[in-house]
Amino acid sequence: MQYPALFEELRFLSGLQTRNRIVLAPMTTWSSHDDGRIHEDELAYLRVRSGGPGLVMTAACYVQRMGKAFSGQWACDTDETLPSLRAACEGIHAEGARAILQIHHGGRMCPSSLLPGQPVSASAEPAERPGFDRPRPMTHDEILESIDAFAAATRRAIEAGYDGVEIHGANTYLLQQFFSPHSNRRSDDWGGSLEKRMRFPLAVTDAVCAAAAQAGRPFAVGYRISPEEVEEPGITIAETLELVDALAERPLDWLHVSVRSYLAGSMRDDSDRERPTRCIIDRVAGRLPVIGVGLVYNPEDAQFILDDGCAAVALGRIMLMEPRWVEKVAEGRAREIRATLPRSGGAEQLQLPQPLYRTLLAREGWLPVEEEEEQQ
Ligand SMILES: Cc1cc2nc3c(=O)[nH]c(=O)nc-3n(C[C@H](O)[C@H](O)[C@H](O)COP(=O)(O)O)c2cc1C
């Protein structure tokens, strides 16, 4: 077999074992029902992509109604969501992958139109992006409720049969908003110094790990982190390495470093060519497995990430265009990997829920779209 390292088993701290080193990256589909129940088309989408990867991560799933960041986002905020959570988990398991629920709160990145009230965040600082309203700072009690909500979502994941959860601490959402000097301007126990800005993400991590410890079976907890922010002030790699040290003290199963391109250097400083994930691997120094991601198209790209020191590689967009990427690589058919999105008919051809397919086509430059066939 080519690329044997990609197909080595992996055993995590919790005892969870996977059949290989390939992970389906968490990807939002905008396709769930308005009440947060998963749609049948999402089930089919997940199932067709679960035959190869060792771990399948679900789309970000909101733990509190005030954390809903996307239309058609799915939910794990109440016990009523259990049948929906279970259906997704069973679909993933039926294809032999381990199922990981990504647990999420959008904070100030939630459009007001999706919420029952004004968005909440660490402070009243709006995101520097069009379309987002000024948030309201969370009270101390609301912060504690949110921590509990992450723990409750973990308990639901256990009940629904998942093999673990991933705490979404990345991509500018609530946990990152508390860590960031841009969005956290608090002067109480939850903000100010670097140590206090770490407090909320670490409290969520501790609460989730405590809930996971009650599972009575191997149940993993991972943490997704964004190493930097472009805003000024914004998170720097130096600050992130401090958070990484604190996370490495926790009983976590992995650290998943969210970057747009694995090979790219700093997003804050063009002259700094060091790969942020590589800096994190060096700092972690074997205390925690690191999952790498970002623009993997070919097996060589994935192999590079393992050679760089990551324990596993997550695949996002390529798995939208090629649901059977892993199977094709395993069977020596890498040349047959499809690396474009069809301009029409992609929903049926690639089992993509329609709202996801429409979004992918509409966002210029996100995925390479197939050239239109010339009209005869
Ligand atoms: C359609 C789409 C939806 C995404 N949704 C999520 C999400 O729900 N949670 C998350 O952590 N990252 C999300 N991401 C980021 C991916 O997990 C991944 O980190 C990113 O796409 C880079 O990997 P890639 O180059 O292999 O696509 C999303 C990406 C895409 C393309």
Side-chain angles (χ1 to χ4, degrees):
M1 182 195 271
Q2 277 181 305
Y3 311 103
L6 286 175
F7 294 94
E8 271 173 27
E9 287 182 0
L10 186 55
R11 191 185 161 87
F12 293 101
L13 179 72
S14 60
L16 181 70
Q17 227 163 325
T18 66
R19 60 186 166 187
N20 60 43
R21 307 278 172 137
I22 304 159
V23 177
L24 177 67
M27 282 184 283
T28 293
T29 63
W30 297 272
S31 301
S32 298
H33 295 283
D34 285 346
D35 62 3
R37 275 177 305 119
I38 197 162
H39 192 279
E40 262 187 33
D41 291 349
E42 290 178 281
L43 292 176
Y45 153 90
L46 273 175
R47 192 149 175 174
V48 75
R49 289 168 175 80
S50 297
L55 287 184
V56 164
M57 295 189 181
T58 68
C61 195
Y62 61 87
V63 302
Q64 281 185 298
R65 184 62 189 77
M66 282 301 287
K68 180 172 180 173
F70 317 103
S71 62
Q73 186 177 1
W74 73 315
C76 54
D77 61 329
T78 64
D79 287 347
E80 278 70 61
T81 64
L82 276 167
S84 156
L85 295 176
R86 206 170 277 131
C89 182
E90 284 169 2
I92 295 167
H93 280 169
E95 302 299 323
R98 303 294 193 185
I100 305 298
L101 184 73
Q102 193 185 50
I103 51 179
H104 170 250
H105 188 304
R108 72 177 183 175
M109 299 305 290
C110 300
S112 300
S113 57
L114 292 180
L115 300 181
Q118 188 184 0
V120 294
S121 184
S123 303
E125 198 64 30
E128 286 180 14
R129 297 192 197 180
F132 293 101
D133 291 326
R134 181 174 292 281
R136 172 176 72 69
M138 289 165 78
T139 64
H140 177 76
D141 286 347
E142 284 174 330
I143 292 172
L144 298 183
E145 277 167 28
S146 195
I147 295 166
D148 283 348
F150 275 93
T154 305
R155 285 192 290 275
R156 284 182 201 110
I158 294 167
E159 198 173 333
Y162 284 83
D163 302 290
V165 291
E166 179 172 88
I167 301 168
H168 198 344
N171 302 356
T172 74
Y173 299 114
L174 187 67
L175 271 69
Q176 185 175 331
Q177 289 162 30
F178 269 84
F179 183 52
S180 161
H182 184 274
S183 38
N184 188 342
R185 312 277 172 116
R186 299 177 80 99
S187 53
D188 62 0
D189 284 348
W190 301 99
S193 64
L194 175 63
E195 207 183 335
K196 287 181 176 173
R197 282 189 277 120
M198 282 188 207
R199 207 171 152 207
F200 178 68
L202 293 178
V204 168
T205 304
D206 289 339
V208 167
C209 288
Q214 301 300 313
R217 58 183 168 87
F219 187 86
V221 180
Y223 191 100
R224 196 166 212 214
I225 195 169
S226 286
E228 292 178 299
E229 274 177 354
V230 284
E231 286 86 359
E232 204 52 68
I235 297 169
T236 62
I237 189 75
E239 288 191 336
T240 290
L241 294 178
E242 298 293 322
L243 177 59
V244 164
D245 273 341
L247 289 169
E249 286 168 14
R250 267 81 189 167
L252 286 170
D253 287 271
W254 64 80
L255 195 59
H256 187 175
V257 184
S258 178
V259 288
R260 279 184 220 148
S261 159
Y262 187 87
L263 294 177
S266 168
M267 69 196 287
R268 291 179 65 83
D269 175 3
D270 285 345
S271 67
D272 181 357
R273 300 299 309 145
E274 262 206 87
R275 297 186 286 284
T277 310
R278 178 70 225 191
C279 296
I280 290 175
I281 293 168
D282 287 344
R283 183 65 161 245
V284 165
R287 287 178 289 169
L288 202 57
V290 173
I291 301 180
V293 72
L295 281 183
V296 173
Y297 272 52
N298 307 309
E300 293 79 15
D301 305 331
Q303 180 70 51
F304 177 88
I305 291 178
L306 292 189
D307 291 343
D308 210 31
C310 286
V313 186
L315 272 53
R317 285 164 291 178
I318 192 68
M319 287 290 284
L320 299 177
M321 300 179 283
E322 178 52 85
R324 305 265 183 216
W325 190 96
V326 184
E327 292 89 325
K328 287 191 176 169
V329 173
E331 292 160 13
R333 297 192 292 135
R335 256 189 259 122
E336 294 169 34
I337 288 172
R338 174 188 189 116
T340 54
L341 189 71
R343 196 167 287 280
S344 60
E348 298 75 22
Q349 219 178 313
L350 302 175
Q351 303 259 39
L352 294 168
Q354 280 289 355
L356 171 59
Y357 182 49
R358 280 197 302 271
T359 307
L360 296 173
L361 284 175
R363 292 208 185 169
E364 194 102 6
W366 221 14
L367 267 74
V369 179
E370 210 169 63
E371 294 300 323
E372 200 101 57
E373 278 195 26
E374 276 190 40
Q375 299 292 315
Q376 295 296 315

